[in-house]
Amino acid sequence: MNIVVILQTVPDSAEELTLADGVLDWDEAPLRLNEFDDHALEEAVLAKEEAGATVIALALESAGDRVLQTAVARGADRAVKLIKEVPLDASARMVAPLMAEAARKLGADLVVTGVQAPGDIFGQLAPFTAAELAWPLLGGAVGIDCSADAPIVAQEFGGGRSAQISVTLPAVVGVQAARRPPRYVSGSKLRQAVQSASIEKLDVAAELADEPGKLVTLHSPHKTTAISFLDDDPVTAVDQIVEIFRQRGIVGGGRG
Amino acid sequence: MISALSLALVTLLAAGAAAWRASIRLRPLLSGRPSLRKDVPVRRAGFLLREIGLHRRLLRFRLSGIIHAAILVAFVILLSGILQAYSKAFFPDFRGWDAIAVVQDLAAILMLSAIGLALYNRLVLRPARFKGSNKRDALVILGMISLIVLTMELEFAFHIIADGQNSPYRPVAGLLATGLTPLMPSVSAAQIAEQVFYWAHIASILGFLVYLPGSKHFHMVVGFPNVYLRSREPRGRLPTSGAEPAPPTRITELPWKGMLDLYSCTECGRCQSVCPAYAAGLPLSPKTLIMDLRNNLVDTALGTPAAATIPLAGGVISAETLWACTTCMACMQECPLHIEHVPRIVDMRRALVDEGEMSPLLQATLVNFQKYGNSFKKPARQRPAWTKELPFQVPDARDEPVEYLWYVGDYASFHPLVAERTRNVAKLLHQAGVSFGILYDREKNSGNDVRRIGEEGLFQDLAEENIAAINECDAQRIFTTDPHTLNTLVNEYPALGLRKDVVHHTQLLHELMRDGRLRFRPTGTGQRVTYHDPCYLGRYNGRYDAPRAIIRDLGFDLHDMPRCREKSFCCGAGGGRIFMEDESTLERPSENRIREALALGDISLFVVACPKDIVMYTAAIENINASDKIKVKEISDLFAVV
Amino acid sequence: MADILVYIELVSGQPTQASLDLLSGARDLAGTSGRVTALAVEDDSAVDTAKLGAADRIVLVSGDAKGYTGERHLAALSEAIERDKPGIVLIANSYVGLDISTSVAARVGQPLLAYCVALALGDDTLRATCQIYGGKLEADVECNLPAIAAVNPGVFQASETRGAGEIVQAAAPVFTARTMVQSTSSASDTGVDITASDLLVCVGRGVGDEDGVALAQELADALGAELVASRPVVDQGWVEKSRQVGKSGKTVKPKLYLAVGVSGAPEHLEGMRDAGLIIAVNTDANAPIFDAAHFGTRCDVLEFLPLLTEKLQGAIA
Ligand SMILES: Cc1cc2nc3c(=O)[nH]c(=O)nc-3n(C[C@H](O)[C@H](O)[C@H](O)COP(=O)(O)OP(=O)(O)OC[C@H]3O[C@@H](n4cnc5c(N)ncnc54)[C@H](O)[C@@H]3O)c2cc1C
Ligand code: SF4
Ligand code: SF4
């Protein structure tokens, strides 16, 4: 079985993100592996370790070699970089056809990637890629068990609700969290992988899709994060808090 | 009379057995990783003689030190008795030396009294440091030595009876003889008794010899080369894994000196008694760690099935044990045999890190180091954020020449409690007209703790990047407020290409005070204060005096805690412990330490000189509800106290 | 104005609060001329249609009693869109919403605006503000109608519903099933996992003693929240270690973090800074917890706790 893991680099929201003319200053933006993709990779490697599979890490050329080298150090069997001119701010919808073609060319049975990325305002990569491939999608995955012919995916829906769903391959899975935190790659293993991992190149014929949505401008949130002090009198403060709870649906509704 | 031939025969047999027992145990050393220390033989020999002659380390534990000295002295003297016993057999005319006889007799008494004291110590006083030691072995050895001495004395006594005349040179044996004479029906009976005890004496000596290689008293043999071959590297320079990139994962892969260490351990427990992890109730005792490794080595040497295949980290020594160490060096400071616990522990941690086996919290921290270059998950650009509130601009040392490059460190840059102190130091230096600059976003964590966590590759990465940044600067000296940073910059960076003098801010401030550059008023009014020596400033780098001098010069009444200077007790944060869950079962080391300070009575300030100490002790004081009694102060804070 | 289709997420026949909020929002957006349709795919229980009064029309699609599959809901929603051609489709950005909104957009070939925190309708455009990069930035985006919007929880509030709308029963959607529900579970299992809880009440040393902790426990029970604590409280043995938040405890990210008597040391903040809503109760106006909190009050915890518990019990009863 071939598991293709799509790895994307995204601006790190833990860092300062600078804006230039109402859009992200991509030259300044610190790019890192999308956290959810990190979990997707871990889950793919776990699935492989349990049931045997070939894990192929796939990334756009612009993501840089380091991401793929790390993936190899983490247990990916192959590392493939997709050769295509892609603007850094291309949306998930735009790149989905490229990923879909690459997945086909790599003989994927299962495509795994993060359930979302921090900037995908026009939709996520996993469902767009599934749609391109016309394969079923399982999002919100928290575990993939590949020991049976039809793998079983654990999906979580919040509020403690979850389900085990079997899927006929081929399929796309959007991973929310691996069963365990992504494994640690020590500095020495990383240094080794940087020297020895070979990265394959893959050309695709597909073109970027059009993105029907349009980004007008990016800005910092308007709302202030500064604290609002409630009344010092407990009776009044309690009333105010209950009102806040009401507004946010924390009390008084069957929120899932 | 005495059959020289049979004596030669049993001696040969016993010596052969002993040699065989020793060689089996020592054989793995032949295939251990290289670690021969061939430098400065004269100095090494001199040191060995001094250690033995002066008993410096041994006497740090007074009673045991005295007992050991007594046993050693008596033992050396009694070696002449053994020589005498053999001479008697081979030269039938040999009558012994009168001059030595007296000394031997007295040595016997000395030995027996020392053994009495040792038994009293072990069975009655029972200091906690013996917990986990092999008591039976200790008693067997004490018993055997007593037997050697007693049989010797009895042999002498019966000789006197058989001879019919008392010797003035053997007062003790003479006394015994007087007591025993009534029991002897005839001279020949006395002669037979003399023979019997002669052979009993020989048998107990040879028995001891055969027993020795399997006992902790093997240190009588291997202790000498072990102390001779001790590491002469600075303490703060952690060795790599015996010249190989991969850490040893099985006992047979240890450097051979590391194996010798294991056989040298006497289970005295001095290391255990000073270990903060042990005191906190964590599953680590440096003594049992060494013993467990030794047992695995012995099992392996004896061919016990599977012993050689047990992984060291997580097998022979549990992961929790390894992670409990704060790398405070207290154990190595005390060990009379100069056994190297910390390099062993870090090597095993390296193996765990290579396998990614660590707690989620530690893993997340290491990922932060990898991604952001600090443990706080702060972007590099925020590194100089602490300077924003200063009334002056701190120069970028990469852009303009400065007298001092300030290597700030993570806690001093990012932790709010510490950043305040960092600004204090900046203001003091500014006031003294010192030109200093920082590396801004190019400074990353120095990697001192990263290395001691066992993340060697990451340490190398951090160090290389930092050195590249430092080398871009035109600065005369480097200073830092962080002893951990200081340690790696002073001891480990030079091997990677750093060529600059590095000082601690306490030293710098003291120099400035002395030279009149930093004008100060004695702000103290004789308050009683105490000072905590940070492990990485004191024990690691021997810098004890500058902080004390500053405290005194500022007019405070400094009282040291019982555990001070090289005996200082670790706060519990070192070696990456600050990045791990702390589930101490008894008492946190930091709280134990505050109680020690409080016990001095009337101490109002707990003065520290390490960013992590500020954090650890502030929390400890809160935790034990002592905020109204004692406060944490950084040395630089004292300049503001009026 | 445009017609709006709202996807209603069900839990045992009950619409989720987020879906109801969205339905009210749709009502306002649609104005008087636009029609609002609520679409729900049935699960194992009868749909509580009474709650969906804000819709002009309620479409119930027959579903799978075994549980949710993305395939079925995607097919149901796509069929409805192709049939009714609404100007806008609104989906709450819950786990399920995340699972299907993009798929639906791809299937019907419409633009999608995700993580919306504000929506505005133009003549033939939809404009939205989207929260991205962990809330660090907001994006103003727009697209032509028809379009789909995935809306974050809390943007709209459900209001009083007027009478029930027309109920239409639709046939099961047509699709080739390639996924199958094997099992589902709903209760959070035994043993606390405070990181999985949406509502947390945290006690610090300011509660004084074990009686104070008990008061906080009562509040947590009334709220349906888990009780967590700062390290000193755990050290005292008043609360078990698995409930410690912070550097040497757990890192949590609940929707609500109510901190009572917690000073907010950096080691504590490290573990809860990213909570959605932080409310702090502390007598010391300078306590650093107030730097991290959204709301704060300087009253005494011991007075505060029982009052809030009582009020909540009243509110729920
Ligand atoms: C390495 C390390 C790791 C640590 N890890 C953690 C960790 O994981 N989690 C953690 O929480 N801490 C941790 N700490 C400890 C941390 O530094 C603080 O000591 C701790 O968080 C303080 O807990 P607290 O807020 O409950 O207590 P305090 O700091 O004592 O605060 C009590 C607060 O209650 C207020 N108060 C008092 N009475 C009342 C009243 N009647 N009504 C209202 N308010 C009142 C006070 O104003 C005060 O602000 C760690 C420390 C170190 C050094
Ligand atoms: S270095 Fe310190 S903590 Fe580690 S074993 Fe030695 S004494 Fe214990
Ligand atoms: S390691 Fe050293 S200090 Fe520790 S028990 Fe052995 S001999 Fe004593």
Side-chain angles (χ1 to χ4, degrees), chain A residues 53-78:
Chain A
T54 306
V55 173
I56 307 169
L58 171 69
L60 291 175
E61 191 179 15
S62 56
D65 288 355
R66 183 81 176 195
V67 165
L68 288 171
Q69 287 159 343
T70 310
V72 171
R74 289 256 303 272
D77 303 287
R78 290 169 61 192

Side-chain angles (χ1 to χ4, degrees), chain B residues 16-292:
Chain B
W20 183 68
R21 273 167 62 84
S23 73
I24 289 183
R25 284 171 173 74
L26 293 174
R27 193 172 312 138
L29 269 70
L30 295 175
S31 49
R33 292 189 182 179
S35 54
L36 187 56
R37 290 153 177 170
K38 284 185 287 197
D39 57 327
V40 293
V42 177
R43 281 212 215 162
R44 285 182 175 280
F47 182 85
L48 175 62
L49 291 177
R50 263 203 317 283
E51 277 297 89
I52 300 170
L54 301 179
H55 262 50
R56 260 188 319 208
R57 285 213 172 171
L58 283 156
L59 284 167
R60 290 163 71 96
F61 285 70
R62 193 52 56 86
L63 177 62
S64 290
I66 292 172
I67 294 175
H68 188 271
I71 292 182
L72 182 70
V73 167
F75 187 84
V76 170
I77 296 170
L78 291 176
L79 278 177
S80 69
I82 296 174
L83 199 67
Q84 198 166 311
Y86 276 84
S87 308
K88 258 192 236 171
F90 293 108
F91 311 102
D93 296 334
F94 182 77
R95 302 252 47 91
W97 309 283
D98 288 342
I100 290 187
V102 180
V103 190
Q104 278 176 352
D105 236 30
L106 294 177
I109 292 300
L110 182 63
M111 181 68 101
L112 291 174
S113 339
I115 286 175
L117 264 181
L119 287 172
Y120 175 71
N121 191 25
R122 214 166 251 285
L123 301 176
V124 182
L125 295 181
R126 284 196 294 182
R129 64 191 165 91
F130 287 138
K131 193 164 173 224
S133 301
N134 185 344
K135 185 156 126 194
R136 212 186 59 190
D137 186 26
L139 295 181
V140 166
I141 284 288
L142 291 177
M144 281 184 146
I145 299 176
S146 315
L147 206 63
I148 294 175
V149 175
L150 285 172
T151 50
M152 181 190 81
E153 282 299 323
L154 285 167
E155 181 208 337
F156 289 156
F158 286 112
H159 179 79
I160 290 170
I161 300 175
D163 244 16
Q165 80 185 75
N166 215 332
S167 155
Y169 300 108
R170 292 219 179 269
V172 181
L175 222 62
L176 262 177
T178 319
L180 288 170
T181 309
L183 298 177
M184 285 294 109
S186 65
V187 168
S188 60
Q191 277 169 345
I192 292 172
E194 182 192 352
Q195 282 294 307
V196 168
F197 282 104
Y198 174 81
W199 285 104
H201 182 51
I202 293 291
S204 50
I205 292 169
L206 297 180
F208 183 76
L209 192 66
V210 175
Y211 181 78
L212 197 63
S215 152
K216 71 191 180 89
H217 282 69
F218 202 26
H219 83 273
M220 290 171 57
V221 180
V222 290
F224 297 97
N226 207 55
V227 174
Y228 176 87
L229 292 168
R230 83 190 201 286
S231 168
R232 298 185 73 253
E233 292 279 296
R235 267 202 193 130
R237 187 177 304 155
L238 198 58
T240 46
S241 318
E244 275 181 54
T249 57
R250 299 291 184 275
I251 196 84
T252 48
E253 295 164 17
L254 289 189
W256 67 259
K257 167 64 173 63
M259 299 184 194
L260 198 64
D261 269 3
L262 306 182
Y263 285 125
S264 305
C265 176
T266 67
E267 304 177 12
C268 71
R270 286 155 198 258
C271 53
Q272 173 175 305
S273 72
V274 294
C275 173
Y278 185 81
L282 292 171
L284 163 67
S285 148
K287 177 183 73 179
T288 45
L289 178 119
I290 294 294
M291 288 168 63
D292 289 343

Side-chain angles (χ1 to χ4, degrees), chain A residues 12 182 184-187 189 191, chain B residues 354 363 370 372 379 455 461:
Chain A
D12 182 354
Y184 184 70
V185 195
S186 72
K189 282 202 175 155
R191 287 175 154 229
Chain B
D354 268 357
Q363 172 166 343
Q370 274 184 348
Y372 302 94
E455 218 324 1
D461 285 345

Side-chain angles (χ1 to χ4, degrees), chain A residues 29-67:
Chain A
L31 297 181
R32 280 188 225 290
L33 179 62
N34 177 22
E35 221 180 294
F36 293 100
D37 296 357
D38 204 2
H39 280 264
L41 174 63
E42 183 61 34
E43 194 52 45
V45 174
L46 283 175
K48 160 191 144 173
E49 285 169 352
E50 286 162 4
T54 306
V55 173
I56 307 169
L58 171 69
L60 291 175
E61 191 179 15
S62 56
D65 288 355
R66 183 81 176 195
V67 165

Side-chain angles (χ1 to χ4, degrees), chain A:
Chain A
M1 186 166 91
N2 287 330
I3 306 179
V4 169
V5 187
I6 305 176
L7 302 175
Q8 287 185 286
T9 50
V10 297
D12 182 354
S13 44
E15 300 232 12
E16 230 166 288
L17 300 177
T18 45
L19 299 178
D21 300 327
V23 289
L24 202 64
D25 185 351
W26 284 89
D27 295 332
E28 283 287 309
L31 297 181
R32 280 188 225 290
L33 179 62
N34 177 22
E35 221 180 294
F36 293 100
D37 296 357
D38 204 2
H39 280 264
L41 174 63
E42 183 61 34
E43 194 52 45
V45 174
L46 283 175
K48 160 191 144 173
E49 285 169 352
E50 286 162 4
T54 306
V55 173
I56 307 169
L58 171 69
L60 291 175
E61 191 179 15
S62 56
D65 288 355
R66 183 81 176 195
V67 165
L68 288 171
Q69 287 159 343
T70 310
V72 171
R74 289 256 303 272
D77 303 287
R78 290 169 61 192
V80 178
K81 84 177 151 190
L82 201 157
I83 309 295
K84 191 92 191 178
E85 192 76 31
V86 179
L88 280 172
D89 62 350
S91 72
R93 187 178 218 138
M94 291 166 75
V95 299
L98 313 183
M99 296 301 182
E101 186 186 333
R104 276 216 188 82
K105 281 193 164 159
L106 293 169
D109 300 295
L110 195 59
V111 172
V112 180
T113 191
V115 69
Q116 65 185 99
D120 47 18
I121 30 179
F122 300 121
Q124 298 81 24
L125 183 62
F128 280 131
T129 307
E132 288 290 333
L133 290 163
W135 293 357
L137 165 82
L138 288 154
V142 290
I144 306 173
D145 175 359
C146 289
S147 47
D149 277 350
I152 295 186
V153 175
Q155 265 185 312
E156 227 172 62
F157 303 115
R161 289 183 298 133
S162 62
Q164 305 281 328
I165 300 191
S166 63
V167 55
T168 317
L169 296 179
V172 178
V173 175
V175 173
Q176 173 180 307
R179 275 165 285 167
R180 43 170 259 185
R183 67 195 62 192
Y184 184 70
V185 195
S186 72
S188 30
K189 282 202 175 155
L190 215 54
R191 287 175 154 229
Q192 227 172 315
V194 168
Q195 283 158 13
S196 60
S198 73
I199 296 177
E200 305 163 39
K201 292 181 181 169
L202 183 71
D203 288 301
V204 290
E207 292 300 330
L208 289 174
D210 289 331
E211 172 51 69
K214 190 170 121 227
L215 174 64
V216 181
T217 172
L218 271 183
H219 52 81
S220 306
H222 293 306
K223 65 168 196 298
T224 61
T225 42
I227 179 166
S228 333
F229 271 107
L230 308 171
D231 207 279
D232 287 349
D233 172 54
V235 179
T236 324
V238 159
D239 284 343
Q240 290 168 323
I241 287 179
V242 171
E243 187 46 38
I244 296 168
F245 285 177
R246 278 232 173 77
Q247 281 167 12
R248 310 238 172 176
I250 288 169
V251 291
R255 174 178 288 256

